[in-house]
Amino acid sequence: MSKKAILYIVFFSVLSLGFLGYAGYVIKGERGTFLGKEKLPVLGAPGHTVQGFSFTDQEGHTRTKADVQGKIYVAEYFFTTCTGICPKMNANMEKVYAKYKNKPEFLILSHTVDPDHDSVPVLKVYAEKHGADPKNWWFLTGSKKELYALARQGYLVDDGTYTGDEDFVHTQWFALVDKTGQIRGLYEGTKKQDVDKLIDDIDRLMEE
């Protein structure tokens, strides 16, 4: 084989390796691994994260954004006297909780949309009914305006605007939030296939 042919082979071999390396780098940046496993999308406008909050859980403890920093969590909205979608949603949430309740990096935040009725003692009874440990499944109450603002502007589970005391949020959506406060998925909490996908996506998010 001529010297020129050898040089061509070496050149194209190096070029091919360079291309494969660059392709792997791009795949890793977009999908998370060189094997091509896709990352979950980030929802909302560029740079969107859940804003600060301060609510009270079923034990009377104040919970703020600082308490969820570095955690993966699912957020939902419900009310204890609901006879429509809420019982189905929280039966499905129990399935999510059962899988991850022993994971210290995971939380569930269930926000009442009826804080006038859902006091701390009422939430405590409701939480116990669902087998929720207050260390990692919080049932939260607080200012109606702040609860609703978080649903709409933070978790993106409702597209309305606050209209005063008669305003009401009634949403079936669960929001999956990553360790930096980004929304990584929305799921209909009344649908088994969506809840199954939520569980799959939590697993994926824990691997990122």
Side-chain angles (χ1 to χ4, degrees), residues 125-141:
V125 171
Y126 190 86
E128 290 172 350
K129 174 184 172 183
H130 289 281
D133 189 323
K135 78 175 185 292
N136 53 11
W137 189 351
W138 306 339
F139 288 80
L140 301 170
T141 189

Side-chain angles (χ1 to χ4, degrees), residues 77 146-158 169 171:
Y77 280 76
E146 292 174 0
L147 285 162
Y148 284 25
L150 194 65
R152 290 163 171 162
Q153 299 161 22
Y155 297 126
L156 310 178
V157 295
D158 185 272
V169 168
T171 175

Side-chain angles (χ1 to χ4, degrees), residues 144 148 152 162-169:
K144 182 177 180 180
Y148 284 25
R152 290 163 171 162
Y162 186 71
T163 57
D165 290 342
E166 300 304 314
D167 193 19
F168 196 69
V169 168

Side-chain angles (χ1 to χ4, degrees), residues 23-158:
Y25 174 79
V26 170
I27 289 171
K28 185 177 188 298
E30 293 183 350
R31 299 188 173 188
T33 74
F34 287 114
L35 299 177
K37 186 173 183 180
E38 291 187 7
K39 288 184 177 180
L40 295 175
V42 177
L43 305 185
H48 176 82
T49 58
V50 176
Q51 68 263 38
F53 60 85
S54 180
F55 299 127
T56 304
D57 72 9
Q58 69 266 37
E59 297 295 310
H61 300 143
T62 299
R63 299 296 188 177
T64 70
K65 185 174 181 178
D67 296 309
V68 300
Q69 291 286 9
K71 307 282 189 181
I72 295 167
Y73 67 97
V74 177
E76 67 156 347
Y77 280 76
F78 80 105
F79 58 108
T80 62
T81 56
C82 173
T83 58
I85 60 175
C86 303
K88 178 70 170 178
M89 290 166 60
N90 280 324
N92 284 332
M93 192 68 88
E94 285 183 31
K95 298 174 185 176
V96 178
Y97 181 65
K99 181 166 184 182
Y100 300 104
K101 64 182 179 180
N102 295 318
K103 298 285 188 179
E105 71 272 33
F106 181 77
L107 298 168
I108 296 173
L109 277 59
S110 296
H111 308 73
T112 181
V113 298
D114 186 13
D116 289 340
H117 177 271
D118 291 342
S119 62
V120 169
V122 169
L123 290 177
K124 184 176 177 65
V125 171
Y126 190 86
E128 290 172 350
K129 174 184 172 183
H130 289 281
D133 189 323
K135 78 175 185 292
N136 53 11
W137 189 351
W138 306 339
F139 288 80
L140 301 170
T141 189
S143 157
K144 182 177 180 180
K145 186 174 183 180
E146 292 174 0
L147 285 162
Y148 284 25
L150 194 65
R152 290 163 171 162
Q153 299 161 22
Y155 297 126
L156 310 178
V157 295
D158 185 272

